[in-house]
Every structure is written in C-alpha cells, then in structure tokens.
Amino acid sequence: MKIAFAGTPEFAATALKSILEAGFQVPLVLTQPDRPAGRGMQLQPSPVKQLALQHGIAVDQPERLRTPEQQAALADCRPDVLVVAAYGLLLPQAVLDLPRLGCLNIHGSLLPRWRGAAPIHRAIEAGDAETGITIMQMEAGLDTGPMLLKEALPILATDTTASLHDRLAELGGRMIVQALRLLEKGGLSATVQPEDGVCYAHKIEKSEAALDFRSSAAVLARKLRAFNPFPGGAASINGQTIKLWAGEALVATGEAGLVLQADAQGVVVACGEGALRLTQLQKPGGKRLAAADFLRGFPIEVGQKFDLPE
C-alpha cells in the first residue's frame, strides 16, 4: 500500500516512525507550516517534518486544505490510505474522498468519550481510571467516524499529560501498524460509535491555569497533573503570580487559600475540601523547583493567604 501521512507534533511523529519501521511505503507527509518557537522565536519545523526529512520523504505544509491547489500534492500522490494523527487541520470531504481506502485517524481516547482537541488532558482532569487509543475511519464530523481498533490503557495516579501522552503515542504507533496490516489483507471491520457516552475534550486555554482554592484538593491535584506540561497551574500570593506544577491532596481543614504549612515537604494550602500540598513551584522568571528550593528564594509563611479568583 501507498500511505500518505498527516500529522504535526511528537505524538504523530511516534506513529510515523512506527509505520516506517514496519516497512510501509510513505511517499508524502502533510504537516503544519513551520512556527516560531524558543527564546529567539525562530521558525521551527514540526517533529513530523523533521522525521520525514530524515527519511527523504516529500513534505507539504499547506495553511488549509480547502482549495484544489492546497490539495494538489495529496491528489498527485494518489495514496491508497491517508493516516492522520494530531494534524491540526480539519479535512474537507474532498480530501477524505481522495485515498482509495479512506482516511484512518489515531485518536487518544476510548471513543466516543473525549472527542475533540485535548482528550489526554481532559481524561486526567476528569479523574478517569482509563483511557486508550481508537483507530477510526474518518468522516466529516469531529471524531464521529466508525471505530476500527480500540485498546485501553490505565491512567496511573502519578500520570501527567506528559507521561500519559508518551505511553499513548507508543500504543498508537503499534495499533496503526496493526490496522494497516489488517487493511492490506481486507480484514479490518468497522463499528459505529455508540450514542451513549459522547463527550468533548475542548482545547486547553491558558486562562484555565488559575487555581481556585475553593475547589476540592482532589480536583486541583488532578488539574495540576492534567495541565503539566501546558499550561501549568497558577495562583497569586504577596502580589505575585507563581506557577504550580505538582501537588497532592491531603485531609485537612482551613479557610480556602490559607497556607497551613510551608517547609521542605511542600506548601500546604487549605481548599474547599481538604488541602493541597504543592511540591513543585516556579516564581516569575525562575525555573521549576522542588518546594524546599523554591522557598529559599520565595519565602511563604504559615498564615499567609493565596488570592481567590473573583
């Protein structure tokens, strides 16, 4: 089979690497245009583009795929199948119809739960016990297509979005190779997604970083895990906003936002229910630090209070 691939971040690069290592022919890769990144804001190629160039694969980077001109490289390639993973562009029906065997998507959840842009973050934030990978046949709707393969993965109590992302990426790479081999043999069957259990993983916004200590400590601890590495948590004290990267829920009582403890073990803040021990923090312009190191450069004392959002 001749396979075209569309993807952009590391999650997609892991899948492309698996496809190439399995020996499939990939004549064309679609990926997002180079974006400014780093301190110098220099244009940076996506992880998928970097991998494609290492393997001598042609790369196309259209801003959109709406016009025949934007679709030309894919049409000229005449792929049997298009594999899509975290590409970042919606595919119009004309593109979905181009490959002879359709378009397969690697989605980081157990569909129909967590359709949409941020399934890994939202699964952790919601306290789900498991997530997984669904290989689906793409159609015009947002992650609504029939399911081809599905495999669950437990969400560990210590998982952040970063760690769960890496495990799901490896699983997705293995499963897409399995799906392509079955498709090649004509042995891939589709199952329509059930209507029960549909929910949407909306894109993560920077504004969500602010922690409201009137929430329960368990909810806030999950939020910190879900928002690591982006956008992290944030809270203000002493007139300064600090970043919060890790914490654990404790059994304790106190006025929401009140500092109950501040030592090498962490900064314990009373919440609407329980208390949150913050163990990794970052002052403005600084680095992420363990609580003991952070407190040496940014003193916080028992009895002080974090601001509560209005």
Side-chain angles (χ1 to χ4, degrees), residues 22-219:
F24 287 103
Q25 179 189 359
V26 182
L28 176 67
V29 159
L30 303 178
T31 192
Q32 290 268 334
D34 297 358
R35 306 291 189 201
R39 288 187 177 179
M41 295 302 285
Q42 299 294 313
L43 288 178
Q44 298 290 332
S46 72
V48 164
K49 179 179 178 179
Q50 293 178 49
L51 181 61
L53 293 178
Q54 289 169 16
H55 287 267
I57 301 170
V59 175
D60 189 39
Q61 297 176 270
E63 285 281 356
R64 295 285 185 273
L65 281 169
R66 294 172 181 164
T67 67
E69 291 76 21
Q70 292 167 334
Q71 300 164 9
L74 184 62
D76 292 344
C77 172
R78 301 179 67 182
D80 295 302
V81 62
L82 174 65
V83 173
V84 182
Y87 179 31
L89 289 182
L90 291 176
L91 304 188
Q93 192 63 49
V95 170
L96 296 175
D97 292 339
L98 277 174
R100 180 174 63 88
L101 298 172
C103 303
L104 305 189
N105 179 243
I106 308 169
H107 187 75
S109 81
L110 299 174
L111 290 172
R113 186 164 177 79
W114 301 128
R115 295 174 179 173
I120 303 175
H121 306 73
R122 299 304 184 190
I124 293 177
E125 185 184 17
D128 291 2
E130 65 177 11
T131 184
I133 291 288
T134 305
I135 307 294
M136 55 171 277
Q137 187 86 43
M138 295 182 71
E139 58 182 32
L142 179 61
D143 300 328
T144 57
M147 303 177 294
L148 305 171
L149 293 175
K150 196 171 176 180
E151 188 169 327
L153 195 68
I155 299 177
L156 307 178
T158 55
D159 265 327
T160 63
T161 287
S163 64
L164 185 56
H165 165 282
D166 291 351
R167 289 164 52 222
L168 285 170
E170 291 296 328
L171 177 60
R174 176 171 61 78
M175 288 177 65
I176 192 61
V177 168
Q178 179 186 358
L180 291 170
R181 285 177 173 155
L182 288 170
L183 186 65
E184 209 167 26
K185 298 173 183 176
L188 197 57
S189 58
T191 303
V192 175
Q193 290 188 38
E195 294 184 9
D196 289 342
V198 172
C199 66
Y200 288 87
H202 299 289
K203 180 182 177 182
I204 303 295
E205 304 290 346
K206 283 186 178 181
S207 59
E208 296 182 69
L211 296 193
D212 187 343
F213 291 106
R214 290 167 293 202
S215 300
S216 78
V219 166

